Amino acid sequence: MKNFVNSMTGRVFFALMVGIVASAALTQWLAVNERQRTLERYRNYHALERAEQIIETTDVVRPESRAQYLAVSSKSSMKLEIAPDNDLTMHPATEFSAALAQRLPRDFQVIPMTERPAQCGQRNSTMTLFGPGPWRGTCEAVKIVMTDGQVLKLSVLPPRGTIPTGHNEWTVFVPFLLCVAVLAYFVTRMAVRPVKQLAQAAKDLGADINRPPLELAGAAEIRQASAAFNAMQGRIRQHIAQRTEMLAAITHDLQTPLTRMRLRLEKVSDPDLQQKLIGDMSAMQQMIREGLDLARSMDTSGTMQKLDLDSLLDSVCADAHDAGQQVELKGKAGMALLGRPLDVQRCLVNLIDNAVKYGQRAHVTVERLAGAARIRIRDEGPGIPHDHLARVFEPFYRVETSRSRASGGTGLGLTIARNIAEQHGATLSLANGDAGGLEAVLTLPEFYAGK
């Protein structure tokens, strides 16, 4: 759930939901208020007619029988009773008292009262989706002077109990919310799917520069972005190809004059000078060979194959042991990976050679992880200063301690190994061990058929 909220899909979904629900709630609130105002106006009109009817009926009842009649007729929200006093002080007229005075014959006198009934302060409310709403209709008391001079008190009270709204608000709003949620989800998926496809294409591009171009489909903006992505992929592929071809051509063309120079060095009469020149020539040829390996490590046109990691590791370590290197292999991965056999072998050979060259021994440990295998290659050397760990992957970079040109390194072995690892979706990192030495950690993803 946390990943969904933090993803673009979750953010767009919640933004749509909040906006739609807020708009629906505002619309519902306005509709409920308008319905309640309509109900209040109807009740006010009904109260006006009821007051006119009961007053005129009471006027024709004999004075000695009025108390009994009023006790029977004053029910619900309309209450007419004999006034407790004969105070006829005039107060400012209200909307209800003014309308009642116009409807009654001139023989009657309507006198507004400042004192409101106690029930007006009670929350006789209308239940809605947004909770109880207070009664805002007519609630007041007026004195009525009858045609015979008797003073009565008319109290217009709020309706008793809850005013029905006609239906349960939640039975309408909950299905509406569910429909909105489903609609928002599908709209979000439809809007975010092209962005996800573009992000996945960018991720796949890092592992395979020769992946098929994106299909130009969808909205105009998506097609434009896909076309720009395909053009970028083409330019990157062309740039890499040109750089690889140039590096391969340079290193290849240098082989011929270097071979001629080596033959001519055999004619040098001074043995010491001859050995020094031959040593420099050998170093140059080694750099050229690794330059060719670097160019090949940038080439991703080879065919990917299913490889057994344990068999490949056994073969590499056995070859190293036959070459006189001290290599120890522990653990089993028990998994297959997808890769170019020669490139993966070159990556492992470079890491083991690097460990033996600068740390005398290579301790290789392999373990199975969830969906991957982790290979640790640890040496017994002095390690690398922390601030140089990231830079040793740069071409021709060497740490100026035991890891110098005198030890035979050209500064390309780790660069080649990292290039190959990245092309296979793997990660390669270096760290100094707690007990000393340098440890290279190579994490290779597992191959799943059909993926």
Side-chain angles (χ1 to χ4, degrees):
M1 181 64 183
K2 183 178 180 181
N3 293 334
F4 178 77
V5 173
N6 292 332
S7 66
M8 182 177 179
T9 302
R11 293 178 180 180
V12 173
F13 175 78
F14 282 114
L16 283 175
M17 282 295 297
V18 170
I20 295 175
V21 171
S23 300
L26 177 61
T27 303
Q28 182 74 1
W29 180 75
L30 293 174
V32 167
N33 282 346
E34 179 60 28
R35 185 171 59 195
Q36 186 172 356
R37 282 194 296 268
T38 302
L39 179 62
E40 289 167 354
R41 287 194 295 268
Y42 170 78
R43 294 290 295 239
N44 291 344
Y45 179 77
H46 177 73
L48 193 61
E49 286 193 331
R50 173 66 177 160
E52 178 187 5
Q53 179 184 10
I54 193 174
I55 290 172
E56 291 182 345
T57 303
T58 303
D59 187 61
V60 300
V61 176
R62 297 174 57 181
E64 58 272 16
S65 303
R66 283 179 181 173
Q68 184 178 4
Y69 171 76
L70 292 177
V72 175
S73 61
S74 297
K75 295 180 179 179
S76 185
S77 59
M78 186 71 59
K79 185 177 182 181
L80 186 62
E81 57 187 345
I82 299 175
D85 58 65
N86 293 328
D87 183 13
L88 301 181
T89 304
M90 294 294 296
H91 298 283
T94 63
E95 182 179 354
F96 177 80
S97 62
L100 182 60
Q102 291 180 355
R103 295 176 70 99
L104 291 174
R106 294 183 180 275
D107 297 337
F108 294 89
Q109 185 178 3
V110 179
I111 301 175
M113 297 177 62
T114 56
E115 180 183 357
R116 302 180 69 200
Q119 292 88 337
C120 295
Q122 298 177 359
R123 295 186 62 83
N124 292 329
S125 55
T126 301
M127 290 298 298
T128 68
L129 179 66
F130 306 96
W135 176 255
R136 294 170 297 185
T138 299
C139 183
E140 60 181 274
V142 294
K143 288 183 177 180
I144 308 296
V145 181
M146 308 299 286
T147 56
D148 58 1
Q150 187 178 22
V151 179
L152 302 181
K153 178 182 176 183
L154 175 66
S155 299
V156 183
L157 307 176
R160 295 178 182 179
T162 301
I163 301 298
T165 58
H167 57 272
N168 189 343
E169 303 286 345
W170 288 105
T171 59
V172 176
F173 201 69
V174 170
F176 170 78
L177 284 180
L178 294 177
C179 293
V180 166
V182 173
L183 178 62
Y185 177 73
F186 283 107
V187 170
T188 300
R189 285 194 58 185
M190 183 175 60
V192 175
R193 186 186 297 113
V195 180
K196 284 186 175 181
Q197 293 174 349
L198 197 60
Q200 184 62 39
K203 182 179 178 181
D204 296 340
L205 183 64
D208 182 13
I209 191 64
N210 295 312
R211 64 177 304 279
L214 286 175
E215 181 182 358
L216 302 182
E221 294 80 2
I222 300 300
R223 293 198 302 271
Q224 183 178 2
S226 300
F229 183 86
N230 291 339
M232 178 193 69
Q233 178 183 355
R235 289 193 298 269
I236 294 175
R237 186 162 48 214
Q238 182 181 10
H239 172 72
I240 292 177
Q242 290 176 348
R243 186 182 67 172
T244 303
E245 291 172 1
M246 179 181 65
L247 181 58
I250 292 175
T251 53
H252 180 271
D253 292 344
L254 283 175
Q255 292 281 12
T256 301
L258 285 176
T259 302
R260 289 198 302 264
M261 291 176 64
R262 189 179 185 90
L263 293 175
R264 290 169 182 171
L265 284 176
E266 299 294 336
K267 300 179 182 180
V268 176
S269 58
D270 188 343
D272 292 337
L273 178 61
Q274 184 186 51
Q275 291 301 319
K276 291 179 181 178
L277 293 174
I278 290 176
D280 290 340
M281 187 67 60
S282 298
M284 293 175 64
Q285 288 179 325
Q286 175 67 19
M287 293 182 65
I288 290 174
R289 282 194 296 270
E290 293 203 7
L292 283 171
D293 290 337
L294 178 62
R296 295 189 188 101
S297 72
M298 301 176 189
D299 185 12
T300 60
S301 59
T303 303
M304 291 283 194
Q305 301 177 19
K306 180 181 178 181
L307 306 175
D308 184 87
L309 181 57
D310 291 328
S311 299
L312 186 60
L313 271 173
D314 288 337
S315 174
V316 170
C317 291
D319 291 344
H321 190 270
D322 292 342
Q325 296 179 335
Q326 300 185 50
V327 180
E328 179 187 14
L329 175 61
K330 292 183 180 180
K332 292 288 184 180
M335 60 164 262
L337 61 92
L338 188 66
R340 292 179 285 273
L342 294 179
D343 289 349
V344 178
Q345 183 179 10
R346 168 57 61 186
C347 177
L348 294 172
V349 167
N350 283 8
L351 294 176
I352 293 175
D353 286 347
N354 194 73
V356 173
K357 187 180 299 180
Y358 301 114
Q360 291 77 47
R361 294 177 62 91
H363 301 275
V364 182
T365 304
V366 58
E367 57 183 336
R368 178 75 174 271
L369 303 177
R374 181 165 57 196
I375 303 173
R376 300 179 183 270
I377 303 175
R378 181 175 57 85
D379 62 36
E380 297 179 358
I384 295 178
H386 182 73
D387 54 343
H388 290 271
L389 286 175
R391 298 195 61 190
V392 293
F393 288 109
E394 298 175 5
F396 303 106
Y397 183 82
R398 291 176 299 276
V399 181
E400 295 301 330
T401 56
S402 64
R403 299 174 181 269
S404 62
R405 190 184 300 275
S407 13
T410 61
L412 290 176
L414 290 176
T415 305
I416 294 171
R418 186 182 64 173
N419 286 349
I420 295 173
E422 290 178 348
Q423 290 173 10
H424 289 76
T427 59
L428 176 60
S429 62
L430 296 178
N432 291 310
D434 296 334
L438 184 70
E439 184 177 68
V441 180
L442 177 64
T443 304
L444 293 160
E446 185 175 2
F447 168 69
Y448 295 97
K451 182 176 179 181

